[in-house]
Amino acid sequence: MKSPQPNSVEPPEPQRRQLFRQLFRYAGVALVGSAIGHALIRSRPLRSAEILRPPGALVEARFDATCVRCGLCVEDCPFDILQLASWADPAPTGTPFFVAREEPCRMCVDIPCARACPTGALSPLLTDIRKADMGVAVLVDHENCLNYKGMTCSICVRVCPIREEAITLKPIRSERGLLQIPTVMPDSCTGCGTCEKHCVLSEAAIRVLPRHLGLGVSGTNAVGRKAL
Amino acid sequence: MTAVFRQAGLALYRRRWLLSRRSVQLFILLAFINQLPAIGQIAQGNLASSLWFDTLPLSDPFIVLQSLLAGSSPAVTAMIGAALVAGFYMLFGGRIYCSWVCPINMLTDAAHWLRHKLNIKGNMTLSRELRKAVLLLALLLSLLTGSLAWEIINPITLLQRELIWGSAAGTTLLLSLFLFDLLVSRRGWCGHLCPVGAFYGVLGKFGRLRVTATQADSCKGAGCSACVKVCPEPHVLAPVVSGKQQRVTASDCTRCGACLDQCATGALSMQLDLGEARKFKGIPVVSRRDKP
C-alpha cells in the first residue's frame, strides 16, 4: 500500500525490528509445528512388551532421551542378537532391541554392548551381567505348559544360564499327582530370554516381560482394603 | 590420440571438486559398511555416533544437543566426539558437512541432475529460512517430548541404517524425498528444509575456509555468472560476483566447489582465510531479495 501523500516517505525499518520480526516468525512456525509434532510423536507406538532392551539400559523414558541411535551396541554384540528399530517396529525409530523368542541375550560376562555405548544409555555402571535387568521371565500360560500337565519337560529350567537360581522346580501336589512347577525367582532373573527361546511349544508358555508388566507389587490397593 | 587424453584430462579437471567430494562421501559411506580384510572395519556405528579405527570417537553435535534437551545427562565419550566434530566445522565452515559428508546429498544431487536433464520447470518456491524454523521445531520437540524428535525421521541415519543393517522400511521416505526434489521443489530438501544443514550453518557461521576471488579483475562478473548458475545456494555468491566482497562469507555456503569447477577464468579459489578475522564478525552482507 502506497501512502497518498507523495512526500511522506516511510523511514526504513530499523535492523533490530527486522531481526525481531524474523525471530518471532521462526518462533511462531516452531510453536505451531511443535503442537502438531508433539501430537504426532505421542501417537507413535510406544515400546511394546515384545521387545527387550540390551543389558544395562536405563529406564525407558531416560533411555529414549539418552540413546543417540548409533548402533554401536548392535555392531559389538558377538551373537548379532540386537537390531535397531525401523519405522515398522514398535519402538522409537533407531533404538536397539532384541526379540527373546528369536535370539535371546547370551549374557557375555564382559557386556560388550554396554561397553560400546558412547552415551551411557546402556549404563557403564553395570559390570556384573547377573545384575542386568532386561525384564523378567513369567510363566504366562498355565494351561499349555507341559509341566502343568504332569509331564516333566522342564526345558526352561535346564537352559537357564543362571542355573538353579533364576528358575527352579517347585513340587506342587494336585489331583494329577505331584507336579514340578517351573518357578521364576524375580530377583535372580535378568530377562535374558533363553527360557522363552527354548520353550518347546509353538508359542512360548514362558515369556520375558518388562518388569513393570510382569510383576505385581505388594502394598496398598487404591480401592481395596489396606494390606496387612 | 593426445587430443583424446587432453579432452579426458580437461573433463576430469572441470569436475575436480565434484569428484573429490564424491570420493569423500563414498569413502565415509563405505567406511561404515565394508569390512576390509587388512584393516577390519574402518568405522563403527553411524553418523549419529561412531568409533573410527577402534579409537577415535565422533558424534553428531546436533543429535547430542537433541539428546541433552530431551533430558539426558552428558556422557564423556559422546561429548568428546561431539566437541571434535563441532570444533572442525566451527573452524572450517559448518556446511562442509552437507556437501562432503552427508549421504543424502548424493540422493538430492541426483534428483537435481535428473530435474535438469528432464527439463522440469515447475517449482514450489520455499523460503530458505524455513529450515531454521524446522531446526527450532526439532529442538523444541525434543525438549517437550523427552525423545530425540528429529531422529524419528532423520533421513541421514535412516539411509545409513538401511545400508549397514539391510532393512527397507524407510525406503518410502527416501523415495519421497527424491521425488520432492525432482518434481516439487528445486533443491527443496537440502536448500530449504533440512534442519541438520541449518544447524551446521549456524554452528560454522564463521568457518575460515572460504571461496575467494583471488584474481578479481579476471572475473567477468554478472555477464558470466557461470558460478552462480551451478551454486546450490546461489545467494552466497552474489556479493562476490557483483564485486562488493572478495570472499564468500555467508554461512549457507557448503564449500562444494561447484563454482570453482565451473569458473573458466580461474578467478575463484578456495582459501583458508586466517587473517582479518575481525572484518567478518557481524552480520555478513547478503543480498536480500525481499527488499524493494
Side-chain angles (χ1 to χ4, degrees):
Chain A
M1 277 266 283
K2 286 264 157 64
S3 69
Q5 292 106 326
N7 53 348
S8 79
V9 181
E10 253 186 67
E13 215 174 6
Q15 268 205 331
R16 187 161 37 169
R17 190 181 298 171
Q18 275 182 24
L19 190 76
F20 275 118
R21 183 196 292 263
Q22 195 92 35
L23 223 67
F24 280 120
R25 196 176 291 158
Y26 296 156
V29 173
L31 218 74
V32 174
S34 63
I36 300 169
H38 191 264
L40 277 175
I41 291 175
R42 281 296 164 90
S43 72
R44 277 188 56 77
L46 288 172
R47 172 194 167 186
S48 83
E50 284 166 45
I51 63 160
L52 302 168
R53 295 296 188 203
L58 304 174
V59 290
E60 188 59 23
R62 287 194 58 77
F63 184 82
D64 192 11
T66 310
C67 171
V68 293
R69 290 87 162 127
C70 68
L72 279 166
C73 53
V74 178
E75 295 198 356
D76 272 29
C77 174
F79 298 99
D80 281 339
I81 68 155
L82 296 176
Q83 44 188 308
L84 293 184
S86 73
W87 266 23
D89 289 312
T93 314
T95 53
F97 70 98
F98 69 98
V99 180
R101 186 64 167 167
E102 289 163 13
E103 287 293 341
C105 173
R106 306 298 204 283
M107 295 194 21
C108 314
V109 284
D110 52 345
I111 327 177
C113 48
R115 293 294 87 84
C117 181
T119 62
L122 304 179
S123 174
L125 300 176
L126 181 75
T127 48
D128 180 5
I129 187 65
R130 289 191 167 216
K131 298 260 162 56
D133 176 16
M134 296 170 267
V136 64
V138 180
L139 187 65
V140 288
D141 187 2
H142 295 185
E143 305 303 318
N144 290 301
C145 173
L146 296 182
N147 279 42
Y148 267 96
K149 290 182 173 172
M151 291 170 260
T152 313
C153 160
S154 309
I155 186 78
C156 47
V157 180
R158 285 181 282 140
V159 296
C160 178
I162 307 176
R163 194 168 290 267
E164 305 293 323
E165 282 181 47
I167 312 183
T168 51
L169 291 174
K170 291 267 166 70
I172 288 181
R173 193 167 297 282
S174 80
E175 68 269 27
R176 291 181 204 157
L178 196 67
L179 301 181
Q180 296 289 342
I181 302 302
T183 309
V184 177
M185 298 289 138
D187 290 341
S188 302
C189 176
T190 61
C192 70
T194 312
C195 51
E196 180 177 340
K197 161 79 179 173
H198 289 282
C199 178
V200 295
L201 303 180
S202 66
E203 293 290 340
I206 189 164
R207 295 182 189 193
V208 179
L209 300 175
R211 221 155 255 263
H212 71 277
L213 290 179
L215 294 178
V217 178
S218 67
T220 313
N221 183 333
V223 195
R225 69 189 169 85
K226 287 252 161 67
L228 294 172
Chain B
M1 196 62 195
T2 42
V4 175
F5 278 121
R6 269 182 70 90
Q7 283 258 298
L10 198 67
L12 284 179
Y13 182 74
R14 293 296 300 273
R15 290 172 181 80
R16 63 197 184 280
W17 283 90
L18 179 69
L19 291 172
S20 358
R21 72 186 183 90
R22 284 283 177 266
S23 317
V24 173
Q25 280 173 328
L26 281 172
F27 168 74
I28 291 171
L29 196 61
L30 291 176
F32 286 108
I33 301 169
N34 270 9
Q35 191 102 38
L36 296 175
I39 319 168
Q41 200 155 353
I42 297 170
Q44 288 184 312
N46 61 27
L47 284 174
S49 193
S50 54
L51 191 64
W52 287 75
F53 307 108
D54 280 327
T55 44
L56 178 69
L58 294 177
S59 298
D60 186 323
F62 176 49
I63 297 178
V64 171
L65 179 62
Q66 285 177 68
S67 173
L68 290 176
L69 284 175
S72 73
S73 36
V76 179
T77 317
M79 294 317 265
I80 291 175
L84 287 174
V85 173
F88 174 84
Y89 290 119
M90 280 168 93
L91 191 62
F92 292 105
R95 294 205 61 206
I96 292 174
Y97 176 85
C98 298
S99 60
W100 291 80
V101 177
C102 181
I104 294 296
N105 175 265
M106 289 191 265
L107 190 78
T108 54
D109 271 359
H112 184 258
W113 176 83
L114 196 62
R115 186 183 174 84
H116 189 69
K117 285 282 163 209
L118 298 178
N119 202 17
I120 297 170
K121 288 275 189 273
N123 184 25
M124 183 169 83
T125 324
L126 298 165
S127 164
R128 286 194 185 267
E129 302 298 306
L130 202 53
R131 53 190 161 190
K132 289 191 184 140
V134 181
L135 171 63
L136 259 175
L137 190 69
L139 297 177
L140 204 61
L141 274 176
S142 297
L143 189 70
L144 286 176
T145 59
S147 181
L148 280 62
W150 186 247
E151 295 318 293
I152 293 172
I153 52 168
N154 189 352
I156 301 167
T157 41
L158 188 78
L159 175 68
Q160 280 199 308
R161 277 198 298 274
E162 316 255 295
L163 291 173
I164 299 172
W165 291 290
S167 73
T171 319
T172 43
L173 182 88
L174 297 171
L175 185 71
S176 61
L177 211 136
F178 180 82
L179 291 177
F180 177 74
D181 262 26
L182 177 67
L183 301 173
V184 182
S185 185
R186 185 174 176 276
R187 297 223 187 257
W189 183 258
C190 298
H192 301 83
L193 288 174
C194 178
V196 181
F199 174 83
Y200 279 109
V202 173
L203 181 79
K205 194 179 166 79
F206 302 110
R208 298 274 115 195
L209 194 64
R210 284 173 171 151
V211 172
T212 309
T214 38
Q215 299 162 2
D217 41 331
S218 67
C219 174
K220 293 193 204 101
C224 160
S225 292
C227 50
V228 179
K229 277 176 203 138
V230 294
C231 181
E233 306 270 351
H235 57 285
V236 308
L237 276 168
V240 172
V241 170
S242 60
K244 281 184 193 138
Q245 264 182 284
Q246 205 200 344
R247 298 185 176 88
V248 172
T249 52
S251 63
D252 284 343
C253 173
T254 69
R255 279 79 168 173
C256 67
C259 51
L260 300 168
D261 276 349
Q262 210 59 35
C263 184
T265 63
L268 296 175
S269 69
M270 189 79 80
Q271 285 191 348
L272 254 186
D273 168 29
L274 291 173
E276 304 170 78
R278 200 154 302 159
K279 222 174 174 179
F280 296 99
K281 294 254 167 79
I283 301 165
V285 184
V286 174
S287 69
R288 286 180 57 97
R289 276 166 300 165
D290 52 348
K291 255 189 188 166

